[in-house]
Amino acid sequence: MKRWIAGVLCAAGMMVTGMADAQDLMVEKKVFDLPSFTTQSGRTLKNVKVGWESYGTLNADKSNAVLICHFFSGNSHAAGKYEAADAAPGYWDAIIGPGKAIDTNKYFVLASDTLVNLNTGDPKTTTTGPASIDPDTGKPYALDFPVVTVGDFVNVQKALVESLGIRKLALVAGPSMGALQTYEWAASHPEMVAKAMPVIGAAEADAQLIAWLDVWAAPILVDQNWNKGDYYGRTPPNAGLAKALAVVTLQANHAEWANATFGRRPAKPDEAPAKALGNRFQIQSILDNAGEARAKVSDANHFLYLIKANQLYAAGGTSLADAATKIKAPVLLITQPKDLVFTADMIEHTADTLRKGGVNVTQAFIQGTRGHLDGVISMKQAEGAIRAFLEK
Amino acid sequence: MKRWIAGVLCAAGMMVTGMADAQDLMVEKKVFDLPSFTTQSGRTLKNVKVGWESYGTLNADKSNAVLICHFFSGNSHAAGKYEAADAAPGYWDAIIGPGKAIDTNKYFVLASDTLVNLNTGDPKTTTTGPASIDPDTGKPYALDFPVVTVGDFVNVQKALVESLGIRKLALVAGPSMGALQTYEWAASHPEMVAKAMPVIGAAEADAQLIAWLDVWAAPILVDQNWNKGDYYGRTPPNAGLAKALAVVTLQANHAEWANATFGRRPAKPDEAPAKALGNRFQIQSILDNAGEARAKVSDANHFLYLIKANQLYAAGGTSLADAATKIKAPVLLITQPKDLVFTADMIEHTADTLRKGGVNVTQAFIQGTRGHLDGVISMKQAEGAIRAFLEK
């Protein structure tokens, strides 16, 4: 994801933030194996694997662990670099590291790849999903993979956390789908979560979000190469997946950025958009190119399973109102009012409902021209709020 | 379009407004023939035909004509009924008719289908576009049809208006793409427009709108049956077109409607969305079904040409700022602040820029839970503003 954002940003003549630290945190990607995992739908999967990484040192009584949960198209790489030459550090490097808001001199920060992670073609991502080999058949699961939920993502993380001897997390946090996992942790495992910091995310998918997620999925479902999910060893539905990823990029940004960056400039000065149906404006080619590049290292079925998990989502597995009675941790909710994915109305509905249920909710807001994406790339703005929340 | 909206609304347990009038305006659909029409791109087309209809009577000095321009997926049927048994009248019947805000006892109101109109399978729509037979080849134009613009739509209307001997329009008005045509009339033919009433539309497509229109088009482009536009006589890309139309429906509505109407109810009570990848929530099936029904009477290439015309759009053919110096008519701009297609930011940018250019702009706002669509179905709210504007 980092490379993807970097790609779109560099194309737009901008730089990724958070690259100024003289001493980068160096990180190693690891793999967590679960010999057996039973999904909330009741299917038992063998040999479940997810990638993970950590920053800082777990203390003797294992009380300083912080879990970071990733967004829809992300992976565990929340901070630091794998190699000094990496173009950019992890996505929340601005707030995770030595002396930073989530201080790795104090906290042991860990993050894992989810089930059905999108980035199947990225050597630094390890996941289990439709593209994985089913040990029982020796072939990819494809659509025989069970529907999985955000609750399943969290239960895999819980097994990882427990394997390290950690019984309570000082903080669970994450942006977007990471926020969904954060609420889920706090509602389903309240005894294990001291504090929760959901960022740019609501605690339940409403009808509007469910429908928009269908818009993201539509180009894949229409692509005949999708073939009802049976495309492994054949031509994958990358035309559909590329368009799907272009939609995600657009909705994760905001008009202020699009208009200021691209305006009505043509993609190519000598190919005026009015001259031919296929001649494009710059914003069209930028989004298409980013989608096509990303599709090459992503899996269409994983995309659809992620969509499904997000559509099914209600914190705690039942409803937002129910979750509000289960969550015990104080919540720092950080959002961007211009967010086009989790709109201000959705966020206020979550905050109000949690408060009515007795949850201690503090809100902080990020500004910027990127909308949803500001919750990933502009998090340095929130460092004061995060420090205050952790010190409380 | 009326039937489409009615379909979505009835599915949602709601009724179309404007059906209470004891005496319906009865309307006849007619066809306007242009033996030759040269597009702004320089192509001359033979035998251009568009449908049109009118309400009220043209007065002796032909000074009482009002032109209504239709939205993206609409046609000329702005008011009245073709037959008494019609399920619903034209889309703006609430404001057009005897004694209504646009009073057909006083005004001669006319409306035409645009070029590349979407509704090629509707017997009440007549249009010329990629699905039409090219007289030179005897085959459908397909992608050999030239790119057409909103300026071309207006120039065809101008030929129709002039064929009736009308030299100046008392009012040009329309919602959404109809607003685009309204600004275009006022900027390109200022001597022919006494007053202009754009509704739920801005006077220029910005980068953000250009990109969102690509989201609408994406499912068609990905559908292999689209076959680069060459599908006449074969299987049309209706899977893609249906998804495209579902996206339009969603963006033309608002979260308040979606959430209040559908919530998280499953499409079928015995097929829980969590149980299978294909099990849907109600909002998913409602949008998909509406898209599929509509696709059967629509043409995918026409959809893409409409997208292109909207992406290319800047009032007067150059830019909003330039249009602001050309428009002489006073403007009544009616919008819905919750509109997700033409957002409040876009509308304010248009209003501000027109005013800076010296245009007399009055703004009025419609409320409701439908967002963009309120500019079609909730127009009765604006009748006071419209009457005042026409009487000035």
Side-chain angles (χ1 to χ4, degrees):
Chain A
M1 173 64 191
K2 189 80 238 178
R3 282 169 299 158
W4 182 43
I5 291 179
V8 173
L9 289 171
C10 291
M14 301 166 70
M15 291 292 287
V16 174
T17 57
M19 296 175 70
D21 301 299
Q23 293 190 317
D24 283 312
L25 197 64
M26 296 311 296
V27 190
E28 182 193 1
K29 190 85 186 227
K30 296 165 271 195
V31 173
F32 174 62
D33 284 279
L34 259 178
S36 173
F37 176 76
T38 300
T39 67
Q40 291 189 327
S41 64
R43 268 277 291 280
T44 298
L45 299 168
K46 298 173 189 167
N47 300 347
V48 167
K49 294 175 193 291
V50 294
W52 70 289
E53 59 195 85
S54 61
Y55 331 106
T57 306
L58 189 59
N59 62 10
D61 63 0
K62 301 184 175 182
S63 64
N64 70 334
V66 168
L67 177 69
I68 307 294
C69 307
H70 70 69
F71 47 95
F72 185 90
S73 56
N75 68 7
S76 71
H77 199 34
K81 290 185 172 183
Y82 298 126
E83 296 177 40
D86 287 354
Y91 63 89
W92 264 6
D93 195 80
I95 56 163
I96 301 170
K100 296 181 183 176
I102 299 174
D103 187 350
T104 51
N105 292 329
K106 182 175 177 186
Y107 293 107
F108 171 70
V109 180
L110 75 160
S112 74
D113 303 329
T114 64
L115 294 171
V116 302
N117 185 289
L118 186 62
N119 309 284
T120 53
D122 170 12
K124 289 292 190 188
T125 300
T126 300
T127 188
T128 304
S132 305
I133 301 297
D134 178 352
D136 288 341
T137 66
K139 295 176 184 171
Y141 288 99
L143 296 203
D144 188 46
F145 198 80
V147 168
V148 287
T149 63
V150 172
D152 289 318
F153 300 173
V154 163
N155 286 338
V156 171
Q157 289 164 349
K158 181 166 174 281
L160 166 61
V161 163
E162 289 174 342
S163 77
L164 300 170
I166 298 162
R167 297 170 66 181
K168 186 161 190 168
L169 294 159
L171 176 71
V172 180
S176 196
M177 192 178 80
L180 275 52
Q181 295 167 72
T182 300
Y183 295 116
E184 174 64 21
W185 262 102
S188 290
H189 311 290
E191 73 290 353
M192 291 185 70
V193 180
K195 292 178 179 177
M197 187 180 91
V199 176
I200 52 168
E204 186 174 68
D206 60 13
Q208 184 79 350
L209 181 62
I210 290 167
W212 275 111
L213 291 168
D214 263 11
V215 174
W216 296 13
I220 296 171
L221 298 176
V222 165
D223 187 333
Q224 277 86 337
N225 286 330
W226 179 59
N227 194 32
K228 296 186 179 171
D230 183 13
Y231 55 80
Y232 298 106
R234 309 185 197 190
T235 303
N238 278 15
L241 180 55
K243 287 287 187 189
L245 288 161
V247 181
V248 178
T249 309
L250 179 63
Q251 196 159 5
N253 274 287
H254 189 270
E256 287 184 16
W257 168 76
N259 294 334
T261 309
F262 304 104
R264 286 174 55 87
R265 268 196 302 283
K268 298 181 181 176
D270 55 343
E271 295 182 5
K275 290 287 179 193
L277 196 68
N279 288 4
R280 293 176 298 176
F281 289 95
Q282 189 180 31
I283 190 165
Q284 300 178 275
S285 65
I286 289 289
L287 291 172
D288 280 349
N289 293 349
E292 285 163 19
R294 192 72 198 286
K296 289 179 184 158
V297 291
S298 302
D299 180 83
N301 282 337
H302 282 227
F303 188 100
L304 296 177
Y305 275 73
L306 282 170
I307 291 284
K308 185 74 172 183
N310 282 272
Q311 289 175 321
L312 291 172
Y313 178 72
T318 49
S319 72
L320 166 55
D322 197 27
T325 67
K326 296 177 183 170
I327 295 175
K328 303 304 169 203
V331 169
L332 174 60
L333 172 53
I334 304 176
T335 57
Q336 207 310 12
K338 291 176 193 158
D339 192 332
L340 299 179
V341 182
F342 291 99
T343 62
D345 286 350
M346 284 186 79
I347 297 299
E348 293 314 309
H349 179 60
T350 285
D352 290 349
T353 309
L354 292 181
R355 285 183 181 123
K356 280 180 191 150
V359 181
N360 176 357
V361 179
T362 304
Q363 286 181 259
F365 299 94
I366 304 173
Q367 306 299 322
T369 62
R370 304 302 293 270
H372 190 64
L373 202 48
D374 279 318
V376 178
I377 64 175
S378 307
M379 277 297 282
K380 195 163 169 57
Q381 288 179 38
E383 64 182 350
I386 299 168
R387 283 184 204 276
F389 181 65
L390 288 174
E391 284 164 13
K392 259 199 294 202
Chain B
M1 171 66 192
K2 189 81 240 178
R3 282 169 299 158
W4 182 44
I5 291 180
V8 173
L9 289 171
C10 292
M14 300 166 71
M15 292 291 287
V16 174
T17 56
M19 297 174 68
D21 300 298
Q23 293 190 316
D24 282 314
L25 196 65
M26 297 311 297
V27 189
E28 181 193 0
K29 189 85 187 226
K30 296 165 269 194
V31 173
F32 174 62
D33 285 277
L34 260 178
S36 173
F37 176 76
T38 300
T39 67
Q40 291 189 327
S41 64
R43 269 277 290 278
T44 298
L45 299 167
K46 298 173 189 167
N47 299 348
V48 166
K49 295 175 192 291
V50 294
W52 70 289
E53 60 195 83
S54 60
Y55 331 106
T57 308
L58 189 59
N59 62 9
D61 64 358
K62 303 186 175 183
S63 64
N64 70 335
V66 168
L67 177 70
I68 306 294
C69 307
H70 70 69
F71 47 95
F72 185 90
S73 56
N75 69 7
S76 70
H77 199 34
K81 290 185 171 185
Y82 298 127
E83 296 177 39
D86 287 354
Y91 63 89
W92 263 6
D93 194 80
I95 57 163
I96 300 169
K100 295 181 184 176
I102 299 173
D103 188 349
T104 51
N105 291 329
K106 181 174 178 187
Y107 293 106
F108 171 70
V109 180
L110 75 160
S112 74
D113 303 331
T114 63
L115 293 172
V116 303
N117 184 291
L118 186 61
N119 309 285
T120 52
D122 170 13
K124 289 291 190 189
T125 299
T126 300
T127 188
T128 304
S132 305
I133 300 296
D134 178 351
D136 288 341
T137 66
K139 295 177 183 170
Y141 288 99
L143 296 204
D144 188 45
F145 199 79
V147 168
V148 287
T149 63
V150 172
D152 289 318
F153 300 173
V154 162
N155 286 337
V156 171
Q157 290 164 349
K158 181 165 173 281
L160 166 61
V161 163
E162 289 174 342
S163 77
L164 300 171
I166 298 161
R167 297 169 66 179
K168 186 163 191 169
L169 293 159
L171 176 72
V172 179
S176 197
M177 192 178 81
L180 276 51
Q181 295 166 72
T182 300
Y183 295 115
E184 174 64 21
W185 263 103
S188 290
H189 312 289
E191 74 290 354
M192 291 184 70
V193 180
K195 293 180 180 178
M197 187 181 90
V199 176
I200 53 167
E204 185 174 70
D206 60 12
Q208 185 78 352
L209 180 63
I210 289 167
W212 275 111
L213 291 169
D214 264 11
V215 174
W216 296 12
I220 296 171
L221 298 176
V222 164
D223 187 333
Q224 277 85 338
N225 286 329
W226 178 59
N227 194 32
K228 296 187 179 171
D230 182 14
Y231 55 79
Y232 298 107
R234 309 185 196 189
T235 303
N238 278 14
L241 180 55
K243 287 288 187 189
L245 288 161
V247 181
V248 178
T249 308
L250 179 63
Q251 196 158 6
N253 274 286
H254 188 269
E256 287 184 16
W257 168 76
N259 294 334
T261 310
F262 305 105
R264 286 174 55 86
R265 269 196 303 282
K268 298 181 181 176
D270 56 341
E271 295 182 3
K275 289 289 180 193
L277 196 68
N279 288 3
R280 294 177 297 176
F281 290 95
Q282 189 179 30
I283 189 164
Q284 299 178 275
S285 64
I286 289 289
L287 291 172
D288 280 348
N289 294 349
E292 286 164 18
R294 192 74 199 284
K296 288 177 185 160
V297 291
S298 303
D299 181 82
N301 282 337
H302 282 226
F303 188 100
L304 297 176
Y305 274 74
L306 283 169
I307 291 285
K308 185 74 172 182
N310 281 273
Q311 289 174 322
L312 290 172
Y313 178 72
T318 50
S319 72
L320 166 55
D322 197 27
T325 67
K326 297 178 185 169
I327 294 175
K328 303 304 169 202
V331 170
L332 173 61
L333 172 54
I334 304 176
T335 57
Q336 204 316 5
K338 291 175 191 159
D339 192 330
L340 300 179
V341 182
F342 291 99
T343 63
D345 286 350
M346 285 186 80
I347 297 299
E348 294 313 310
H349 179 60
T350 285
D352 289 350
T353 308
L354 292 180
R355 286 182 181 123
K356 279 180 191 150
V359 181
N360 175 358
V361 180
T362 303
Q363 286 182 260
F365 299 94
I366 305 173
Q367 306 300 321
T369 63
R370 304 301 293 271
H372 190 65
L373 202 47
D374 280 317
V376 178
I377 63 174
S378 307
M379 277 298 281
K380 194 162 169 57
Q381 288 178 39
E383 63 182 350
I386 298 168
R387 283 185 204 276
F389 181 64
L390 288 174
E391 283 164 15
K392 258 198 295 200

